[in-house]
Amino acid sequence: MTNLLWKLEAWMEDVNREDGITLQYFEKILDSLFFLIKWAGIPFIFYLLFEILT
């Protein structure tokens, strides 16, 4: 139990730091999601416009 509390405290300190590892991972995840949405969404919008116009 003590080991779990120690790990939780270390994680909380990491989250509160401005350059923590947790925040870096979240940044990488969000950047990749934005990239996927951007490059999957643009062709889909063109497809929808093409379908509307024809």
Side-chain angles (χ1 to χ4, degrees):
M1 186 69 177
T2 306
N3 193 16
L4 181 63
L5 288 175
W6 180 77
K7 288 181 180 181
L8 182 62
E9 287 177 4
W11 179 70
M12 287 173 54
E13 288 178 14
D14 181 62
V15 168
N16 289 328
R17 287 190 2 222
E18 188 172 328
D19 59 345
I21 295 172
T22 306
L23 294 178
Q24 290 175 2
Y25 285 140
F26 275 113
E27 181 183 4
K28 287 180 185 179
I29 290 169
L30 290 175
D31 283 343
S32 62
L33 285 175
F34 176 73
F35 180 80
L36 288 173
I37 290 171
K38 179 175 66 173
W39 291 111
I42 292 172
F44 184 67
I45 296 295
F46 285 135
Y47 168 75
L48 290 177
L49 288 173
F50 179 74
E51 288 296 318
I52 290 172
L53 294 175
T54 58

